[in-house]
Amino acid sequence: MKKIPWMIGFITALTLNAAAIAPLPAGWWRASLQRADGHTIDFNVAMQYKNGKPVWFIRNATEKIQITAIEQKQDSILVQMPLFESEFRLQQVNNHTLRGVWIKGTSTVMQVMPVTFVYNQSQRYPQAKQTKQKITGRWGATFIDKKPYPAVVEFKQNGTALTGTVLTPTGDYRYLEGAVSNDTLHLSTFDGSHAYYFRATIKNDSILADGEYFSGATSIEKWTAWRDEKAIVPDTLSAVYMKRGEDRLYFRFPDLDSNFVSMSDPRFRNKVVIVQLMGSWCPNCMDETAFLSEYYNNNKQRGIEMVALAYENSTDFHRSQKSLRRFQQRFNITYPMLITGVRAADSLRTEKTLPEITKIKMLPTALFFGRDGTVKRIHTGFYGPGTGEHYEAFKKEFYAIMDELLKQ
């Protein structure tokens, strides 16, 4: 990640003026990312010590993200997230307060958001002792980002505590945690890439109104929802197809060691192959990769191969290589990861890399190849473990597809 001169100077000045600082107390902290519009995106962190070294755990409902790359010099603290180009640069104000910034790499400039950590805060939003509102279940929803798009929102309420997820045509918004406070719901998540906050007014047990969805430093969308246990997200909005007359891919890209790989290589011949279109910046790609890597390592002896094509935030090979190395090591990826050299945000990413298919509408996207080297199935998006039954349904369908292709 590129260094930010003004922040380095800021932290250096703080360090030079610092007196001896006591270790941070172990326990729960609440972090608040401050947006320019005055809203905050809140999440919780458990700070612990193992063998005298600090270890942090970011909590999003049942998800626990462990962070060990933590460096402290007097009152200056650098916290590197385990994945993504993402870090915190903090000052220890006292034993109960940290202040600084969250820095995230993007395809253009670095995104910088002020952040405050406060000790002894295990809840991210105020919770009343009880509530009459009951919103557990599935809800159809409409979000508005320039134009409306459909979604499904799922809630699990336990008293006033609330968890859930949002499913959209591009994938899911992973693990959300929050609370019901009087007639308002609050949900948020932070994983080093996503920083989301959802709120809405509970009109009654069937209608949510005045919804707002805050993403990162500036993005905001309006949303509404209605109870519908049969609500689904239409997959036609994300579908990708082979172009007429095409049934193979002819890519050739370098792997992380600069060795070129293509579908015509001997390792792929007479194999059932999955080509994964992904990016190391993408949390849904992270969830899919965790699943695919485990499946591959347990089943490759059956005649299965995989290869990942990475669309990164930069065209710089070494920057992409560094991010993908972390990704590779985190998920024990033993199949090739190729760097396309085309930015994920490039409007011509399909034409520049895979002209045989229609427009890549989202990442991740997975293409399934039979033993004859032709495309048999294309799966777009990914509903990960944060979606519960949808993740289980995906796995069941995936296993069935692979078993059928292996028989052919």
Side-chain angles (χ1 to χ4, degrees):
M1 179 179 293
K2 293 181 179 178
K3 294 182 178 179
I4 299 178
W6 67 266
M7 180 50 57
I8 295 174
F10 170 73
I11 292 181
T12 300
L14 291 170
T15 301
L16 292 174
N17 294 325
I21 298 295
L24 296 173
W28 284 107
W29 295 63
R30 183 178 67 231
S32 298
L33 292 164
Q34 283 92 40
R35 289 167 48 102
D37 57 14
H39 295 288
T40 63
I41 301 176
D42 299 339
F43 58 96
N44 299 98
V45 180
M47 298 187 186
Q48 302 177 10
Y49 291 89
K50 293 185 178 181
N51 299 321
K53 296 182 178 180
V55 179
W56 293 13
F57 293 88
I58 293 178
R59 184 191 78 210
N60 296 300
T62 59
E63 179 183 53
K64 304 294 186 296
I65 302 173
Q66 179 174 299
I67 307 171
T68 58
I70 302 168
E71 298 179 17
Q72 181 165 2
K73 293 184 179 180
Q74 295 189 351
D75 67 345
S76 298
I77 305 173
L78 174 64
V79 181
Q80 176 67 56
M81 292 295 294
L83 292 175
F84 317 120
E85 293 180 294
S86 176
E87 66 184 34
F88 293 99
R89 298 184 185 183
L90 306 169
Q91 177 209 2
Q92 184 175 345
V93 179
N94 52 50
N95 287 349
H96 293 169
T97 307
L98 303 175
R99 289 200 183 97
V101 292
W102 171 50
I103 306 171
K104 172 189 171 183
T106 71
S107 60
T108 53
V109 299
M110 294 292 183
Q111 176 179 288
V112 181
M113 292 183 69
V115 64
T116 301
F117 289 73
V118 179
Y119 176 61
N120 200 25
Q121 299 290 332
S122 62
Q123 297 176 347
R124 57 186 68 186
Y125 298 107
Q127 296 183 17
K129 292 184 179 180
Q130 60 184 5
T131 180
K132 295 180 180 179
Q133 309 294 352
K134 306 295 181 185
I135 62 173
T136 293
R138 183 179 301 181
W139 298 65
T142 297
F143 285 72
I144 301 176
D145 177 18
K146 296 180 181 178
K147 60 181 181 180
Y149 64 90
V152 171
V153 185
E154 296 192 339
F155 300 111
K156 290 183 180 179
Q157 183 179 344
N158 182 11
T160 58
L162 188 66
T163 59
T165 193
V166 177
L167 298 89
T168 76
T170 61
D172 68 277
Y173 289 169
R174 308 189 74 251
Y175 301 86
L176 303 177
E177 178 182 342
V180 174
S181 178
N182 297 321
D183 64 347
T184 304
L185 70 86
H186 305 270
L187 284 169
S188 65
T189 190
F190 177 82
D191 55 26
S193 181
H194 286 153
Y196 294 162
Y197 166 46
F198 299 82
R199 73 179 184 189
T201 300
I202 306 170
K203 290 292 187 182
N204 52 52
D205 62 2
S206 299
I207 297 294
L208 304 178
D210 305 320
E212 293 180 302
Y213 158 43
F214 303 91
S215 174
T218 59
S219 177
I220 181 172
E221 298 178 13
K222 302 293 186 180
W223 65 283
T224 57
W226 55 95
R227 188 180 292 276
D228 181 358
E229 295 300 331
K230 297 182 179 180
I232 60 172
V233 179
D235 57 11
T236 54
L237 297 176
S238 59
V240 174
Y241 305 96
M242 300 300 296
K243 290 181 179 177
R244 185 184 297 274
E246 301 285 359
D247 60 6
R248 300 172 185 266
L249 297 183
Y250 299 96
F251 61 80
R252 184 173 181 267
F253 301 115
D255 65 14
L256 303 191
D257 297 314
S258 300
N259 300 312
F260 280 86
V261 176
S262 74
M263 284 292 287
S264 61
D265 292 348
R267 70 178 296 161
F268 301 117
R269 292 175 190 167
N270 300 316
K271 301 282 187 68
V272 172
V273 181
I274 294 177
V275 175
Q276 178 198 25
L277 313 184
M278 52 77 70
S280 65
W281 49 268
C282 163
N284 287 141
C285 301
M286 174 184 70
D287 288 337
E288 183 184 64
T289 300
F291 171 79
L292 290 179
S293 180
E294 181 179 14
Y295 179 85
Y296 177 72
N297 290 333
N298 291 333
N299 292 274
K300 57 186 175 183
Q301 74 282 357
R302 300 170 64 193
I304 293 170
E305 273 298 338
M306 295 186 186
V307 58
L309 307 188
Y311 297 80
E312 294 296 288
N313 281 326
S314 169
T315 58
D316 181 85
F317 182 87
H318 296 291
R319 177 181 169 185
S320 300
Q321 181 188 49
K322 181 179 179 181
S323 295
L324 288 163
R325 284 281 190 207
R326 287 207 305 267
F327 214 81
Q328 181 187 53
Q329 294 166 3
R330 171 64 178 82
F331 297 111
N332 188 29
I333 301 170
T334 56
Y335 52 82
M337 303 189 75
L338 311 186
I339 299 175
T340 64
V342 175
R343 291 188 303 116
D346 192 328
S347 62
L348 297 177
R349 63 186 181 185
T350 309
E351 292 84 348
K352 291 179 178 180
T353 58
L354 300 174
E356 301 86 8
I357 66 175
T358 59
K359 189 176 182 63
I360 302 170
K361 297 180 180 178
M362 70 189 65
L363 299 176
T365 289
L367 295 91
F368 295 75
F369 291 73
R371 294 183 187 276
D372 62 355
T374 64
V375 177
K376 306 298 184 183
R377 186 81 172 258
I378 301 178
H379 185 276
T380 53
F382 187 76
Y383 292 154
T387 67
E389 64 182 62
H390 302 283
Y391 179 57
E392 296 303 318
F394 158 78
K395 290 195 293 185
K396 184 177 180 180
E397 180 186 18
F398 178 91
Y399 297 146
I401 293 171
M402 294 302 290
D403 288 344
E404 179 61 31
L405 290 176
L406 287 167
K407 290 177 183 178
Q408 295 176 5

